[in-house]
Amino acid sequence: MSEAELPHAAGSALDASLLVIDDDGEIRDLLARFFEREGFRVTTAKDAREGRRLWSQGEFNLIVLDLMLPAESGTDFARWLRGQSAVPIVMLTAMGEETDRIAGLELGADDYLAKPFNPRELLARVRAVLRRTGEHGPTHATTTIEFADWTIDTIRRRLIGADGVEVPLTGGEFELLSIFVERANRVLTRDMLLELLRGRQAGPYDRAIDVAISRLRRKLEDEGRNAQLIKTVRGGGYVLAAEVKRR
């Protein structure tokens, strides 16, 4: 797609800074021009090494990360980044590379898009992730939510254990937990969860929700067949089985 063909999406721009990591120079240039036209600040890197250097030098609101990078893979970079920060990640994957996509989601990526892609769709996903993971708290009065032995600080978007220690969550994990808490003791199908999270229907082989729930269960110490909080409903979906208190 040439610069003249870049689609322009209507709507107000977000004052956000993106780091785009992709080894394809044409894609980097295209995305830089496109997102800058939409009001974003954009920095680009050709590989994971350059991405690390730029990350250490700047402040970014979201990472657009190609998983197929030379030398060090995108999943390796994502694993390193999750040790530093919960900054949102939108992955770019090769068409049909489900294994890589699942690996990225398990590492805490917030969304993914298969190549080749339309920049307008990537823009929509970036904006959706930023809305979900924004630093501004909700406008409703509830600031603390308690369930089981856990406390959610809705303003600071934090999950606190019974011992008072915070359990780090990615933006996507926090949003998924919020969906369960707001609909406690209701069965939510995979399609419903995908629609609530990303506004799209699940494909027949889309394991994104299963991966995200597995990751969230680990952080809630609610793993495997003995899960007591987020229970699997055979043929139905998932349910948060807990009494929820709001303060």
Side-chain angles (χ1 to χ4, degrees), residues 17 30 43 96 104 111 153 161 164 169 175 190 200 204 217 229 232:
S17 180
L30 179 142
T43 303
D111 205 348
D153 181 338
L169 297 179
E175 185 67 17
R190 293 169 72 253
R200 62 184 176 83
R217 278 173 166 166
L229 283 175
T232 302

Side-chain angles (χ1 to χ4, degrees), residues 112-178:
Y112 65 86
L113 190 60
K115 292 181 176 180
F117 59 87
N118 187 316
R120 187 188 297 270
E121 182 177 1
L122 179 59
L123 172 65
R125 290 177 183 266
V126 165
R127 282 179 166 164
V129 169
L130 287 173
R131 282 195 300 269
R132 296 200 309 263
T133 61
E135 296 178 357
H136 301 291
T139 58
H140 52 74
T142 300
T143 59
T144 302
I145 299 175
E146 298 175 353
F147 68 101
D149 293 325
W150 300 94
T151 299
I152 298 175
D153 181 338
T154 62
I155 299 298
R156 297 178 178 84
R157 298 173 65 86
R158 300 167 65 204
L159 175 66
I160 314 277
D163 56 2
V165 177
E166 178 182 357
V167 176
L169 297 179
T170 67
E173 290 166 354
F174 185 89
E175 185 67 17
L176 179 60
L177 178 58
S178 298

